[in-house]
mmCIF file with all atom_site columns, all heavy atoms in Angstrom:
data_model
loop_
_atom_site.group_PDB
_atom_site.id
_atom_site.type_symbol
_atom_site.label_atom_id
_atom_site.label_alt_id
_atom_site.label_comp_id
_atom_site.label_asym_id
_atom_site.label_entity_id
_atom_site.label_seq_id
_atom_site.pdbx_PDB_ins_code
_atom_site.Cartn_x
_atom_site.Cartn_y
_atom_site.Cartn_z
_atom_site.occupancy
_atom_site.B_iso_or_equiv
_atom_site.pdbx_formal_charge
_atom_site.auth_seq_id
_atom_site.auth_comp_id
_atom_site.auth_asym_id
_atom_site.auth_atom_id
_atom_site.pdbx_PDB_model_num
ATOM 1   N N   . GLY B 1 1  ? 225.119 -122.380 -128.261 1.00 90.00 ? 25 GLY B N   1
ATOM 2   C CA  . GLY B 1 1  ? 225.391 -121.111 -128.929 1.00 90.00 ? 25 GLY B CA  1
ATOM 3   C C   . GLY B 1 1  ? 224.457 -120.799 -130.075 1.00 90.00 ? 25 GLY B C   1
ATOM 4   O O   . GLY B 1 1  ? 224.663 -119.827 -130.794 1.00 90.00 ? 25 GLY B O   1
ATOM 5   N N   . ARG B 1 2  ? 223.418 -121.604 -130.243 1.00 86.00 ? 26 ARG B N   1
ATOM 6   C CA  . ARG B 1 2  ? 222.473 -121.363 -131.341 1.00 86.00 ? 26 ARG B CA  1
ATOM 7   C C   . ARG B 1 2  ? 221.054 -121.617 -130.843 1.00 86.00 ? 26 ARG B C   1
ATOM 8   O O   . ARG B 1 2  ? 220.787 -122.637 -130.204 1.00 86.00 ? 26 ARG B O   1
ATOM 9   C CB  . ARG B 1 2  ? 222.800 -122.270 -132.523 1.00 86.00 ? 26 ARG B CB  1
ATOM 10  C CG  . ARG B 1 2  ? 222.059 -121.866 -133.769 1.00 86.00 ? 26 ARG B CG  1
ATOM 11  C CD  . ARG B 1 2  ? 222.477 -122.663 -134.974 1.00 86.00 ? 26 ARG B CD  1
ATOM 12  N NE  . ARG B 1 2  ? 222.252 -124.065 -134.706 1.00 86.00 ? 26 ARG B NE  1
ATOM 13  C CZ  . ARG B 1 2  ? 222.879 -125.054 -135.316 1.00 86.00 ? 26 ARG B CZ  1
ATOM 14  N NH1 . ARG B 1 2  ? 223.792 -124.805 -136.217 1.00 86.00 ? 26 ARG B NH1 1
ATOM 15  N NH2 . ARG B 1 2  ? 222.615 -126.303 -135.026 1.00 86.00 ? 26 ARG B NH2 1
ATOM 16  N N   . ALA B 1 3  ? 220.155 -120.701 -131.135 1.00 86.00 ? 27 ALA B N   1
ATOM 17  C CA  . ALA B 1 3  ? 218.779 -120.759 -130.647 1.00 86.00 ? 27 ALA B CA  1
ATOM 18  C C   . ALA B 1 3  ? 218.100 -122.086 -130.976 1.00 86.00 ? 27 ALA B C   1
ATOM 19  O O   . ALA B 1 3  ? 218.221 -122.606 -132.083 1.00 86.00 ? 27 ALA B O   1
ATOM 20  C CB  . ALA B 1 3  ? 217.965 -119.611 -131.236 1.00 86.00 ? 27 ALA B CB  1
ATOM 21  N N   . PHE B 1 4  ? 217.428 -122.613 -129.973 1.00 83.00 ? 28 PHE B N   1
ATOM 22  C CA  . PHE B 1 4  ? 216.622 -123.833 -130.102 1.00 83.00 ? 28 PHE B CA  1
ATOM 23  C C   . PHE B 1 4  ? 217.421 -125.045 -130.548 1.00 83.00 ? 28 PHE B C   1
ATOM 24  O O   . PHE B 1 4  ? 216.919 -125.903 -131.259 1.00 83.00 ? 28 PHE B O   1
ATOM 25  C CB  . PHE B 1 4  ? 215.426 -123.614 -131.039 1.00 83.00 ? 28 PHE B CB  1
ATOM 26  C CG  . PHE B 1 4  ? 214.497 -122.565 -130.539 1.00 83.00 ? 28 PHE B CG  1
ATOM 27  C CD1 . PHE B 1 4  ? 214.457 -121.320 -131.136 1.00 83.00 ? 28 PHE B CD1 1
ATOM 28  C CD2 . PHE B 1 4  ? 213.680 -122.796 -129.448 1.00 83.00 ? 28 PHE B CD2 1
ATOM 29  C CE1 . PHE B 1 4  ? 213.617 -120.329 -130.668 1.00 83.00 ? 28 PHE B CE1 1
ATOM 30  C CE2 . PHE B 1 4  ? 212.835 -121.815 -128.970 1.00 83.00 ? 28 PHE B CE2 1
ATOM 31  C CZ  . PHE B 1 4  ? 212.801 -120.580 -129.584 1.00 83.00 ? 28 PHE B CZ  1
ATOM 32  N N   . THR B 1 5  ? 218.662 -125.123 -130.137 1.00 78.00 ? 29 THR B N   1
ATOM 33  C CA  . THR B 1 5  ? 219.434 -126.340 -130.399 1.00 78.00 ? 29 THR B CA  1
ATOM 34  C C   . THR B 1 5  ? 219.818 -126.978 -129.079 1.00 78.00 ? 29 THR B C   1
ATOM 35  O O   . THR B 1 5  ? 220.015 -126.296 -128.084 1.00 78.00 ? 29 THR B O   1
ATOM 36  C CB  . THR B 1 5  ? 220.715 -126.057 -131.221 1.00 78.00 ? 29 THR B CB  1
ATOM 37  O OG1 . THR B 1 5  ? 221.490 -125.066 -130.561 1.00 78.00 ? 29 THR B OG1 1
ATOM 38  C CG2 . THR B 1 5  ? 220.389 -125.598 -132.626 1.00 78.00 ? 29 THR B CG2 1
ATOM 39  N N   . GLY B 1 6  ? 219.895 -128.300 -129.105 1.00 71.00 ? 30 GLY B N   1
ATOM 40  C CA  . GLY B 1 6  ? 220.352 -129.029 -127.939 1.00 71.00 ? 30 GLY B CA  1
ATOM 41  C C   . GLY B 1 6  ? 219.312 -129.254 -126.870 1.00 71.00 ? 30 GLY B C   1
ATOM 42  O O   . GLY B 1 6  ? 219.644 -129.639 -125.757 1.00 71.00 ? 30 GLY B O   1
ATOM 43  N N   . ASP B 1 7  ? 218.033 -129.015 -127.168 1.00 72.00 ? 31 ASP B N   1
ATOM 44  C CA  . ASP B 1 7  ? 216.980 -129.279 -126.193 1.00 72.00 ? 31 ASP B CA  1
ATOM 45  C C   . ASP B 1 7  ? 215.731 -129.797 -126.906 1.00 72.00 ? 31 ASP B C   1
ATOM 46  O O   . ASP B 1 7  ? 215.655 -129.809 -128.128 1.00 72.00 ? 31 ASP B O   1
ATOM 47  C CB  . ASP B 1 7  ? 216.677 -128.043 -125.345 1.00 72.00 ? 31 ASP B CB  1
ATOM 48  C CG  . ASP B 1 7  ? 216.185 -126.848 -126.148 1.00 72.00 ? 31 ASP B CG  1
ATOM 49  O OD1 . ASP B 1 7  ? 215.672 -127.032 -127.266 1.00 72.00 ? 31 ASP B OD1 1
ATOM 50  O OD2 . ASP B 1 7  ? 216.295 -125.718 -125.663 1.00 72.00 ? 31 ASP B OD2 1
ATOM 51  N N   . ARG B 1 8  ? 214.744 -130.225 -126.136 1.00 74.00 ? 32 ARG B N   1
ATOM 52  C CA  . ARG B 1 8  ? 213.538 -130.829 -126.723 1.00 74.00 ? 32 ARG B CA  1
ATOM 53  C C   . ARG B 1 8  ? 212.738 -129.854 -127.572 1.00 74.00 ? 32 ARG B C   1
ATOM 54  O O   . ARG B 1 8  ? 212.176 -130.238 -128.586 1.00 74.00 ? 32 ARG B O   1
ATOM 55  C CB  . ARG B 1 8  ? 212.667 -131.419 -125.619 1.00 74.00 ? 32 ARG B CB  1
ATOM 56  C CG  . ARG B 1 8  ? 213.264 -132.668 -125.059 1.00 74.00 ? 32 ARG B CG  1
ATOM 57  C CD  . ARG B 1 8  ? 212.281 -133.382 -124.159 1.00 74.00 ? 32 ARG B CD  1
ATOM 58  N NE  . ARG B 1 8  ? 212.917 -134.575 -123.642 1.00 74.00 ? 32 ARG B NE  1
ATOM 59  C CZ  . ARG B 1 8  ? 212.811 -134.999 -122.413 1.00 74.00 ? 32 ARG B CZ  1
ATOM 60  N NH1 . ARG B 1 8  ? 212.062 -134.344 -121.561 1.00 74.00 ? 32 ARG B NH1 1
ATOM 61  N NH2 . ARG B 1 8  ? 213.430 -136.083 -122.029 1.00 74.00 ? 32 ARG B NH2 1
ATOM 62  N N   . SER B 1 9  ? 212.671 -128.592 -127.154 1.00 75.00 ? 33 SER B N   1
ATOM 63  C CA  . SER B 1 9  ? 211.917 -127.635 -127.964 1.00 75.00 ? 33 SER B CA  1
ATOM 64  C C   . SER B 1 9  ? 212.560 -127.498 -129.340 1.00 75.00 ? 33 SER B C   1
ATOM 65  O O   . SER B 1 9  ? 211.870 -127.390 -130.352 1.00 75.00 ? 33 SER B O   1
ATOM 66  C CB  . SER B 1 9  ? 211.820 -126.275 -127.267 1.00 75.00 ? 33 SER B CB  1
ATOM 67  O OG  . SER B 1 9  ? 213.091 -125.690 -127.113 1.00 75.00 ? 33 SER B OG  1
ATOM 68  N N   . GLY B 1 10 ? 213.881 -127.517 -129.382 1.00 74.00 ? 34 GLY B N   1
ATOM 69  C CA  . GLY B 1 10 ? 214.580 -127.456 -130.659 1.00 74.00 ? 34 GLY B CA  1
ATOM 70  C C   . GLY B 1 10 ? 214.352 -128.689 -131.498 1.00 74.00 ? 34 GLY B C   1
ATOM 71  O O   . GLY B 1 10 ? 214.153 -128.598 -132.711 1.00 74.00 ? 34 GLY B O   1
ATOM 72  N N   . ASP B 1 11 ? 214.369 -129.858 -130.855 1.00 74.00 ? 35 ASP B N   1
ATOM 73  C CA  . ASP B 1 11 ? 214.103 -131.093 -131.596 1.00 74.00 ? 35 ASP B CA  1
ATOM 74  C C   . ASP B 1 11 ? 212.743 -131.007 -132.282 1.00 74.00 ? 35 ASP B C   1
ATOM 75  O O   . ASP B 1 11 ? 212.597 -131.346 -133.455 1.00 74.00 ? 35 ASP B O   1
ATOM 76  C CB  . ASP B 1 11 ? 214.145 -132.308 -130.668 1.00 74.00 ? 35 ASP B CB  1
ATOM 77  C CG  . ASP B 1 11 ? 215.534 -132.566 -130.106 1.00 74.00 ? 35 ASP B CG  1
ATOM 78  O OD1 . ASP B 1 11 ? 216.515 -132.007 -130.628 1.00 74.00 ? 35 ASP B OD1 1
ATOM 79  O OD2 . ASP B 1 11 ? 215.609 -133.329 -129.122 1.00 74.00 ? 35 ASP B OD2 1
ATOM 80  N N   . PHE B 1 12 ? 211.739 -130.520 -131.549 1.00 76.00 ? 36 PHE B N   1
ATOM 81  C CA  . PHE B 1 12 ? 210.390 -130.386 -132.107 1.00 76.00 ? 36 PHE B CA  1
ATOM 82  C C   . PHE B 1 12 ? 210.366 -129.341 -133.218 1.00 76.00 ? 36 PHE B C   1
ATOM 83  O O   . PHE B 1 12 ? 209.808 -129.559 -134.281 1.00 76.00 ? 36 PHE B O   1
ATOM 84  C CB  . PHE B 1 12 ? 209.397 -130.012 -130.996 1.00 76.00 ? 36 PHE B CB  1
ATOM 85  C CG  . PHE B 1 12 ? 208.019 -129.750 -131.505 1.00 76.00 ? 36 PHE B CG  1
ATOM 86  C CD1 . PHE B 1 12 ? 207.176 -130.799 -131.826 1.00 76.00 ? 36 PHE B CD1 1
ATOM 87  C CD2 . PHE B 1 12 ? 207.570 -128.453 -131.676 1.00 76.00 ? 36 PHE B CD2 1
ATOM 88  C CE1 . PHE B 1 12 ? 205.896 -130.560 -132.307 1.00 76.00 ? 36 PHE B CE1 1
ATOM 89  C CE2 . PHE B 1 12 ? 206.305 -128.196 -132.162 1.00 76.00 ? 36 PHE B CE2 1
ATOM 90  C CZ  . PHE B 1 12 ? 205.455 -129.261 -132.474 1.00 76.00 ? 36 PHE B CZ  1
ATOM 91  N N   . LEU B 1 13 ? 210.988 -128.194 -132.948 1.00 78.00 ? 37 LEU B N   1
ATOM 92  C CA  . LEU B 1 13 ? 210.982 -127.104 -133.921 1.00 78.00 ? 37 LEU B CA  1
ATOM 93  C C   . LEU B 1 13 ? 211.644 -127.520 -135.233 1.00 78.00 ? 37 LEU B C   1
ATOM 94  O O   . LEU B 1 13 ? 211.075 -127.334 -136.305 1.00 78.00 ? 37 LEU B O   1
ATOM 95  C CB  . LEU B 1 13 ? 211.694 -125.875 -133.347 1.00 78.00 ? 37 LEU B CB  1
ATOM 96  C CG  . LEU B 1 13 ? 211.836 -124.698 -134.304 1.00 78.00 ? 37 LEU B CG  1
ATOM 97  C CD1 . LEU B 1 13 ? 210.480 -124.113 -134.658 1.00 78.00 ? 37 LEU B CD1 1
ATOM 98  C CD2 . LEU B 1 13 ? 212.720 -123.633 -133.677 1.00 78.00 ? 37 LEU B CD2 1
ATOM 99  N N   . TYR B 1 14 ? 212.833 -128.096 -135.148 1.00 72.00 ? 38 TYR B N   1
ATOM 100 C CA  . TYR B 1 14 ? 213.536 -128.458 -136.375 1.00 72.00 ? 38 TYR B CA  1
ATOM 101 C C   . TYR B 1 14 ? 212.837 -129.601 -137.111 1.00 72.00 ? 38 TYR B C   1
ATOM 102 O O   . TYR B 1 14 ? 212.813 -129.624 -138.339 1.00 72.00 ? 38 TYR B O   1
ATOM 103 C CB  . TYR B 1 14 ? 215.008 -128.760 -136.089 1.00 72.00 ? 38 TYR B CB  1
ATOM 104 C CG  . TYR B 1 14 ? 215.726 -127.503 -135.659 1.00 72.00 ? 38 TYR B CG  1
ATOM 105 C CD1 . TYR B 1 14 ? 216.193 -127.340 -134.365 1.00 72.00 ? 38 TYR B CD1 1
ATOM 106 C CD2 . TYR B 1 14 ? 215.884 -126.445 -136.539 1.00 72.00 ? 38 TYR B CD2 1
ATOM 107 C CE1 . TYR B 1 14 ? 216.801 -126.169 -133.965 1.00 72.00 ? 38 TYR B CE1 1
ATOM 108 C CE2 . TYR B 1 14 ? 216.490 -125.265 -136.144 1.00 72.00 ? 38 TYR B CE2 1
ATOM 109 C CZ  . TYR B 1 14 ? 216.952 -125.134 -134.855 1.00 72.00 ? 38 TYR B CZ  1
ATOM 110 O OH  . TYR B 1 14 ? 217.544 -123.963 -134.475 1.00 72.00 ? 38 TYR B OH  1
ATOM 111 N N   . ALA B 1 15 ? 212.227 -130.513 -136.388 1.00 73.00 ? 39 ALA B N   1
ATOM 112 C CA  . ALA B 1 15 ? 211.449 -131.567 -137.040 1.00 73.00 ? 39 ALA B CA  1
ATOM 113 C C   . ALA B 1 15 ? 210.265 -130.953 -137.776 1.00 73.00 ? 39 ALA B C   1
ATOM 114 O O   . ALA B 1 15 ? 209.925 -131.365 -138.895 1.00 73.00 ? 39 ALA B O   1
ATOM 115 C CB  . ALA B 1 15 ? 210.978 -132.598 -136.019 1.00 73.00 ? 39 ALA B CB  1
ATOM 116 N N   . SER B 1 16 ? 209.636 -129.940 -137.174 1.00 74.00 ? 40 SER B N   1
ATOM 117 C CA  . SER B 1 16 ? 208.491 -129.303 -137.829 1.00 74.00 ? 40 SER B CA  1
ATOM 118 C C   . SER B 1 16 ? 208.917 -128.503 -139.056 1.00 74.00 ? 40 SER B C   1
ATOM 119 O O   . SER B 1 16 ? 208.117 -128.265 -139.954 1.00 74.00 ? 40 SER B O   1
ATOM 120 C CB  . SER B 1 16 ? 207.726 -128.421 -136.852 1.00 74.00 ? 40 SER B CB  1
ATOM 121 O OG  . SER B 1 16 ? 208.466 -127.281 -136.509 1.00 74.00 ? 40 SER B OG  1
ATOM 122 N N   . LEU B 1 17 ? 210.163 -128.083 -139.104 1.00 73.00 ? 41 LEU B N   1
ATOM 123 C CA  . LEU B 1 17 ? 210.690 -127.401 -140.293 1.00 73.00 ? 41 LEU B CA  1
ATOM 124 C C   . LEU B 1 17 ? 211.127 -128.414 -141.356 1.00 73.00 ? 41 LEU B C   1
ATOM 125 O O   . LEU B 1 17 ? 211.673 -128.029 -142.387 1.00 73.00 ? 41 LEU B O   1
ATOM 126 C CB  . LEU B 1 17 ? 211.873 -126.501 -139.925 1.00 73.00 ? 41 LEU B CB  1
ATOM 127 C CG  . LEU B 1 17 ? 211.544 -125.275 -139.084 1.00 73.00 ? 41 LEU B CG  1
ATOM 128 C CD1 . LEU B 1 17 ? 212.822 -124.579 -138.638 1.00 73.00 ? 41 LEU B CD1 1
ATOM 129 C CD2 . LEU B 1 17 ? 210.653 -124.323 -139.860 1.00 73.00 ? 41 LEU B CD2 1
ATOM 130 N N   . GLN B 1 18 ? 210.927 -129.680 -141.060 1.00 61.00 ? 42 GLN B N   1
ATOM 131 C CA  . GLN B 1 18 ? 211.240 -130.790 -141.962 1.00 61.00 ? 42 GLN B CA  1
ATOM 132 C C   . GLN B 1 18 ? 212.714 -130.884 -142.291 1.00 61.00 ? 42 GLN B C   1
ATOM 133 O O   . GLN B 1 18 ? 213.108 -131.095 -143.435 1.00 61.00 ? 42 GLN B O   1
ATOM 134 C CB  . GLN B 1 18 ? 210.398 -130.695 -143.235 1.00 61.00 ? 42 GLN B CB  1
ATOM 135 C CG  . GLN B 1 18 ? 208.927 -130.779 -142.946 1.00 61.00 ? 42 GLN B CG  1
ATOM 136 C CD  . GLN B 1 18 ? 208.100 -130.750 -144.195 1.00 61.00 ? 42 GLN B CD  1
ATOM 137 O OE1 . GLN B 1 18 ? 208.600 -130.902 -145.295 1.00 61.00 ? 42 GLN B OE1 1
ATOM 138 N NE2 . GLN B 1 18 ? 206.812 -130.559 -144.025 1.00 61.00 ? 42 GLN B NE2 1
ATOM 139 N N   . LEU B 1 19 ? 213.517 -130.745 -141.277 1.00 53.00 ? 43 LEU B N   1
ATOM 140 C CA  . LEU B 1 19 ? 214.947 -130.948 -141.439 1.00 53.00 ? 43 LEU B CA  1
ATOM 141 C C   . LEU B 1 19 ? 215.238 -132.402 -141.107 1.00 53.00 ? 43 LEU B C   1
ATOM 142 O O   . LEU B 1 19 ? 214.756 -132.919 -140.109 1.00 53.00 ? 43 LEU B O   1
ATOM 143 C CB  . LEU B 1 19 ? 215.736 -130.032 -140.509 1.00 53.00 ? 43 LEU B CB  1
ATOM 144 C CG  . LEU B 1 19 ? 215.542 -128.547 -140.778 1.00 53.00 ? 43 LEU B CG  1
ATOM 145 C CD1 . LEU B 1 19 ? 216.227 -127.728 -139.710 1.00 53.00 ? 43 LEU B CD1 1
ATOM 146 C CD2 . LEU B 1 19 ? 216.082 -128.183 -142.134 1.00 53.00 ? 43 LEU B CD2 1
ATOM 147 N N   . TYR B 1 20 ? 216.026 -133.047 -141.918 1.00 48.00 ? 44 TYR B N   1
ATOM 148 C CA  . TYR B 1 20 ? 216.310 -134.458 -141.718 1.00 48.00 ? 44 TYR B CA  1
ATOM 149 C C   . TYR B 1 20 ? 217.786 -134.647 -141.418 1.00 48.00 ? 44 TYR B C   1
ATOM 150 O O   . TYR B 1 20 ? 218.595 -133.789 -141.681 1.00 48.00 ? 44 TYR B O   1
ATOM 151 C CB  . TYR B 1 20 ? 215.915 -135.252 -142.967 1.00 48.00 ? 44 TYR B CB  1
ATOM 152 C CG  . TYR B 1 20 ? 214.455 -135.102 -143.272 1.00 48.00 ? 44 TYR B CG  1
ATOM 153 C CD1 . TYR B 1 20 ? 214.000 -134.178 -144.205 1.00 48.00 ? 44 TYR B CD1 1
ATOM 154 C CD2 . TYR B 1 20 ? 213.512 -135.847 -142.580 1.00 48.00 ? 44 TYR B CD2 1
ATOM 155 C CE1 . TYR B 1 20 ? 212.665 -134.026 -144.462 1.00 48.00 ? 44 TYR B CE1 1
ATOM 156 C CE2 . TYR B 1 20 ? 212.170 -135.700 -142.820 1.00 48.00 ? 44 TYR B CE2 1
ATOM 157 C CZ  . TYR B 1 20 ? 211.739 -134.789 -143.775 1.00 48.00 ? 44 TYR B CZ  1
ATOM 158 O OH  . TYR B 1 20 ? 210.409 -134.640 -144.005 1.00 48.00 ? 44 TYR B OH  1
ATOM 159 N N   . GLY B 1 21 ? 218.100 -135.796 -140.886 1.00 48.00 ? 45 GLY B N   1
ATOM 160 C CA  . GLY B 1 21 ? 219.486 -136.101 -140.573 1.00 48.00 ? 45 GLY B CA  1
ATOM 161 C C   . GLY B 1 21 ? 219.738 -135.936 -139.096 1.00 48.00 ? 45 GLY B C   1
ATOM 162 O O   . GLY B 1 21 ? 218.858 -136.148 -138.270 1.00 48.00 ? 45 GLY B O   1
ATOM 163 N N   . GLU B 1 22 ? 220.917 -135.525 -138.767 1.00 49.00 ? 46 GLU B N   1
ATOM 164 C CA  . GLU B 1 22 ? 221.311 -135.398 -137.368 1.00 49.00 ? 46 GLU B CA  1
ATOM 165 C C   . GLU B 1 22 ? 220.549 -134.250 -136.701 1.00 49.00 ? 46 GLU B C   1
ATOM 166 O O   . GLU B 1 22 ? 220.231 -133.263 -137.341 1.00 49.00 ? 46 GLU B O   1
ATOM 167 C CB  . GLU B 1 22 ? 222.817 -135.131 -137.275 1.00 49.00 ? 46 GLU B CB  1
ATOM 168 C CG  . GLU B 1 22 ? 223.662 -136.279 -137.752 1.00 49.00 ? 46 GLU B CG  1
ATOM 169 C CD  . GLU B 1 22 ? 223.431 -137.552 -136.965 1.00 49.00 ? 46 GLU B CD  1
ATOM 170 O OE1 . GLU B 1 22 ? 223.414 -137.494 -135.726 1.00 49.00 ? 46 GLU B OE1 1
ATOM 171 O OE2 . GLU B 1 22 ? 223.242 -138.608 -137.595 1.00 49.00 ? 46 GLU B OE2 1
ATOM 172 N N   . PRO B 1 23 ? 220.269 -134.381 -135.401 1.00 54.00 ? 47 PRO B N   1
ATOM 173 C CA  . PRO B 1 23 ? 219.593 -133.286 -134.700 1.00 54.00 ? 47 PRO B CA  1
ATOM 174 C C   . PRO B 1 23 ? 220.464 -132.036 -134.652 1.00 54.00 ? 47 PRO B C   1
ATOM 175 O O   . PRO B 1 23 ? 221.678 -132.118 -134.746 1.00 54.00 ? 47 PRO B O   1
ATOM 176 C CB  . PRO B 1 23 ? 219.373 -133.827 -133.288 1.00 54.00 ? 47 PRO B CB  1
ATOM 177 C CG  . PRO B 1 23 ? 219.897 -135.209 -133.258 1.00 54.00 ? 47 PRO B CG  1
ATOM 178 C CD  . PRO B 1 23 ? 220.556 -135.518 -134.560 1.00 54.00 ? 47 PRO B CD  1
ATOM 179 N N   . ALA B 1 24 ? 219.813 -130.888 -134.496 1.00 58.00 ? 48 ALA B N   1
ATOM 180 C CA  . ALA B 1 24 ? 220.522 -129.626 -134.363 1.00 58.00 ? 48 ALA B CA  1
ATOM 181 C C   . ALA B 1 24 ? 221.088 -129.552 -132.956 1.00 58.00 ? 48 ALA B C   1
ATOM 182 O O   . ALA B 1 24 ? 220.351 -129.435 -131.996 1.00 58.00 ? 48 ALA B O   1
ATOM 183 C CB  . ALA B 1 24 ? 219.565 -128.467 -134.628 1.00 58.00 ? 48 ALA B CB  1
ATOM 184 N N   . GLU B 1 25 ? 222.411 -129.649 -132.837 1.00 59.00 ? 49 GLU B N   1
ATOM 185 C CA  . GLU B 1 25 ? 223.020 -129.772 -131.518 1.00 59.00 ? 49 GLU B CA  1
ATOM 186 C C   . GLU B 1 25 ? 224.137 -128.798 -131.216 1.00 59.00 ? 49 GLU B C   1
ATOM 187 O O   . GLU B 1 25 ? 224.540 -128.673 -130.073 1.00 59.00 ? 49 GLU B O   1
ATOM 188 C CB  . GLU B 1 25 ? 223.546 -131.196 -131.325 1.00 59.00 ? 49 GLU B CB  1
ATOM 189 C CG  . GLU B 1 25 ? 222.432 -132.217 -131.315 1.00 59.00 ? 49 GLU B CG  1
ATOM 190 C CD  . GLU B 1 25 ? 222.958 -133.630 -131.138 1.00 59.00 ? 49 GLU B CD  1
ATOM 191 O OE1 . GLU B 1 25 ? 224.146 -133.860 -131.378 1.00 59.00 ? 49 GLU B OE1 1
ATOM 192 O OE2 . GLU B 1 25 ? 222.149 -134.493 -130.765 1.00 59.00 ? 49 GLU B OE2 1
#
């Protein structure tokens, strides 16, 4: 229900935004 969460592209995107902790899922 949220853009770029729960898939590999989201993992890459959120890591590049320097978000730490649990993945966006």
Side-chain angles (χ1 to χ4, degrees):
R26 192 174 58 203
F28 299 106
T29 55
D31 61 22
R32 287 191 180 139
S33 64
D35 294 345
F36 175 78
L37 176 66
Y38 293 112
S40 70
L41 291 172
Q42 299 183 13
L43 297 173
Y44 300 97
E46 294 300 313
E49 295 179 341

